[in-house]
Amino acid sequence: MARRAFMAGGSASILTAGLPATAKPSATLLVSHPAFAQHNPGPFIPERPAREIAIMEALAAPAFAALVRHEAPLHGALREAILRVHAPEYFDMLNGYASDTPNLPHAFDLDTVLGDRSWDAALLAVSAGLHAVDCVFDKDGGIRNAFCPVRPPGHHAEAARAMGFCFFSNVAIAAKYACAAHGAERVAVIDFDVHHGNGTQSAFWDEKNLFYGSTHELPLFPGTGAVSETGVRNVFNAPLKAGDGTVQFQLAMTERILPALDDFRPDLILISAGFDAHEGDPLAHIRLQEADFTWITMKVMEIADKHCDDRIVSMLEGGYVLKDLAHSASAHVSQLMRV
């Protein structure tokens, strides 16, 4: 089932800055890159450059002056990190398509299109997550949490399959990297995108040290995410139905996902920050508002404060109405910035 709709775009600038070391991590990091706005899958696909532009313009407001801003570097452990989640043949296939520029764009399905700038964006999206993980684990760096407004998104990408706008499973790669590079023993992903993160769930399925908790509309693309899908008791799905809003969302989180997350005692929490459960979004039928994204961010921060020295890395997934996306992302980041 395709998730196609038409919307318009614009342009933006990316700022970079540094932060002196502090005794106690206190700052929120924004990791972006101009390449994220250059991935262009075509005019009829809602996962489009204007999404990045809208978020970056919103986060340029004076209220966000205290953000530490890094341009995502091409991470030195990038390929190794990707291959913890994706098959080598799949990586090489994507690279091959990207290198065959005369035959681009290449469509993997109706939604997932590799353009002439998509490969760079996809690699830098992964790199942003790895860099953010490095920063929140650096005890002398002064960073306690991070937001990465990456494109293309990642939570639908499977080990050997691009789908649902996604090429690489950004959060799953970041999670496994945290274990390998920083000795994290338990890493959790909280996913509040309106579509279930089938790729993340698949990557975590039989690994007890990885936790996946998701609210999402069901039935809806990609068709996974039933309560009965539990992995090795490390997967907690709390599906919502069309028309559900704040009350049902908060119940799903407080009764199923957040208690399990607390019991898991994570060393790091990653967030798949999809804002397409907003009531104005055309690709689904859940009725959340900006205040709901503030609320869930606060609840995750409370658990991060309790168990993992505030370490949170949030990575963008969905959200397709530009105004609602900008407002929702702003609400999310505003909460992350609160000490």
Side-chain angles (χ1 to χ4, degrees), residues 21 65 94 104 123 172 222 309 336:
L94 285 180
L104 292 176
L123 294 178
D309 294 330
L336 287 174

Side-chain angles (χ1 to χ4, degrees), residues 24-112:
K24 176 178 172 57
S26 60
T28 294
L29 172 67
L30 179 70
V31 186
S32 192
H33 196 282
F36 299 155
Q38 295 167 1
H39 162 54
N40 189 356
F44 300 107
I45 293 178
E47 204 298 286
R48 62 212 190 279
R51 300 178 65 241
E52 178 76 12
I53 294 159
I55 291 173
M56 293 305 295
E57 287 179 348
L59 297 182
F64 300 100
L67 283 172
V68 179
R69 299 170 187 260
H70 289 182
E71 184 173 284
L74 198 62
H75 200 280
L78 179 59
R79 191 176 191 276
E80 179 184 8
I82 291 172
L83 295 185
R84 291 191 186 97
V85 174
H86 295 282
E89 298 81 6
Y90 173 72
F91 181 93
D92 293 341
M93 178 193 71
L94 285 180
N95 191 12
Y97 281 125
S99 301
D100 188 16
T101 52
N103 291 310
L104 292 176
H106 176 84
F108 292 91
D109 56 36
L110 292 176
D111 296 319
T112 314

Side-chain angles (χ1 to χ4, degrees), residues 81 84-85 169-177 189 199-200 203-204 210 270:
R84 291 191 186 97
V85 174
S169 188
N170 301 321
V171 293
I173 294 166
K176 294 193 176 187
Y177 171 77
V189 170
T200 311
F204 285 16
L210 302 175
L270 292 147

